[in-house]
Amino acid sequence: HNAQRRIVHELDGLRVGNKTISANKPLINGVLTELAAMAEQKGFFECAPRGVNARNGFVAINQVGEVNFRPHDPKLAQRATLEISWHGGDITEPIGILKSYLDTTFGDVSEGKQRLALQVLGIAAMGASTSLTDPKAFVLHGPSASNGKSQFLELVRGLVSSRVVGNVPPADFSKEQAVAELVGKLVNVCDELDAGKSLGSDRFKALVTGEPIPAKIVYQRVFSFVPKAMHIFATNQLPNFSGGADPGVKRRLISINFENSIPRQRRIPHIARKILKEHGEELLALAIAAAADVFANGGYSIPESVRKDTETWFL
């Protein structure tokens, strides 16, 4: 918004006939308001194809999991560009500190939690959660210290441009002004989960599945929008559901247990930041491949250990 205002600043002092333009606040606001009206195309972003707008092009994934790479194009209706390049299917295995993080945090590949973690990262990067047949919200549960869940949230944020990342806690889902912050967001990340009551609300269910909900911007009329954001919450203690969790909540929530406390001698400070800097392209490639699997298989690959942890929480 400020960048747009600076463009209008350049009109200051311009002679038009016998008058000199003064780029004051009323003029700048008027220019931007009318420009928005002239440029508006209702539903423009609603037709955006599924995929990731990488630095070197757009990576599209169709409904059966086929990956296609194409040049950037305004018609793709992408709100932001990721500062990581994509290099096709050449990368099939994690390396370096990326492998170290995945192995230490999620256990052996055979356990299935690594695959699920990469699927979550891939679907978040694509902003494709609500387009799935069975969309999920994920709760990262880790009561012990140094278990890797905060670094996982940093990886999520690193694979999604900051312009399309929300930070609205479930406790605020009932507030129309708070929910308005999720317009255009691809992922909603909260570092600490609060009361379970908000997770059982109809508003929460609608946000996860992408049903139209009302929202409001201060001093403007209430409007309706279709949410697209994937919801990922972290917590040290899982909240309780008063009276138990209803079937609608059970279908939408998955708890991933971060049970491995990383030994002090094996900890790498700011490992997520280093992974994104040193192995960002490998991480993006693996995440996209994992997201393609989600579409090819009709849903996430939930390992038995995660199913049991989630069911234990509900009980």
Side-chain angles (χ1 to χ4, degrees):
H1 183 66
N2 286 336
Q4 295 174 341
R5 298 184 73 86
R6 285 194 292 270
I7 293 174
V8 185
H9 288 172
E10 297 177 9
L11 298 176
D12 192 59
L14 182 68
R15 294 281 298 179
V16 179
N18 296 325
K19 296 183 178 180
T20 300
I21 293 177
S22 176
N24 51 29
K25 185 175 181 179
L27 177 88
I28 295 171
N29 290 343
V31 168
L32 294 179
T33 298
E34 294 309 307
L35 180 61
M38 293 167 63
E40 182 182 26
Q41 296 182 42
K42 285 190 177 296
F44 178 77
F45 290 106
E46 294 176 9
C47 300
R50 181 188 305 111
V52 178
N53 210 38
R55 179 165 53 191
N56 58 336
F58 183 74
V59 188
I61 303 178
N62 65 19
Q63 196 64 35
V64 295
E66 296 173 339
V67 179
N68 177 267
F69 186 69
R70 65 183 77 170
H72 289 137
D73 190 325
K75 294 180 181 179
L76 294 173
Q78 298 299 301
R79 295 178 183 270
T81 301
L82 187 63
E83 289 301 312
I84 301 175
S85 297
W86 186 75
H87 293 293
D90 298 337
I91 301 168
T92 58
E93 298 290 339
I95 59 174
I97 58 173
L98 172 57
K99 175 175 172 53
S100 176
Y101 170 78
L102 293 174
D103 289 344
T104 304
T105 304
F106 300 104
D108 189 83
V109 174
S110 61
E111 297 178 18
K113 290 177 72 173
Q114 283 197 33
R115 183 182 186 188
L116 176 60
L118 290 170
Q119 289 178 345
V120 172
L121 288 170
I123 296 298
M126 292 172 57
S129 181
T130 58
S131 68
L132 297 175
T133 305
D134 188 19
K136 305 289 187 184
F138 292 90
V139 176
L140 315 182
H141 175 221
S144 63
S146 302
N147 52 38
K149 72 177 187 295
S150 63
Q151 296 303 303
F152 185 79
L153 292 180
E154 286 302 309
L155 292 179
V156 172
R157 294 186 178 103
L159 285 186
V160 185
S161 171
S162 59
R163 295 179 58 188
V164 289
V165 176
N167 183 28
V168 181
D172 290 342
F173 284 170
S174 61
K175 303 174 183 177
E176 292 178 339
Q177 293 180 3
V179 172
E181 295 297 322
L182 296 178
V183 175
K185 298 299 190 291
L186 300 186
V187 62
N188 181 45
V189 179
C190 294
D191 293 276
E192 188 53 46
L193 186 63
D194 39 31
K197 183 178 179 180
S198 55
L199 295 178
S201 68
D202 291 336
R203 181 67 66 88
F204 170 74
K205 299 172 191 175
L207 284 166
V208 173
T209 55
E211 301 170 15
I213 61 170
K216 188 181 189 304
I217 297 174
V218 180
Y219 305 125
Q220 296 186 24
R221 293 181 178 179
V222 175
F223 63 94
S224 179
F225 79 104
V226 177
K228 291 188 175 182
M230 170 192 277
H231 299 272
I232 305 175
F233 313 116
T235 186
N236 293 330
Q237 183 176 356
L238 292 169
N240 292 322
F241 292 94
S242 178
D246 67 48
V249 171
K250 290 182 178 181
R251 288 198 305 272
R252 291 168 174 84
L253 272 173
I254 293 292
S255 171
I256 302 178
N257 193 354
F258 284 67
E259 57 193 351
N260 298 328
S261 184
I262 302 170
R264 183 177 299 276
Q265 63 272 20
R266 296 183 61 185
R267 296 174 193 170
I268 301 176
H270 309 295
I271 189 171
R273 192 182 306 169
K274 293 177 180 178
I275 287 173
L276 291 165
K277 181 178 180 180
E278 300 174 17
H279 300 292
E281 294 181 357
E282 289 87 350
L283 179 63
L284 179 61
L286 293 171
I288 288 177
D293 285 343
V294 174
F295 285 100
N297 300 327
Y300 294 100
S301 302
I302 310 295
E304 187 60 25
S305 62
V306 172
R307 291 186 188 278
K308 289 182 178 179
D309 288 338
T310 304
E311 186 60 30
T312 300
W313 173 27
F314 293 149
L315 292 175

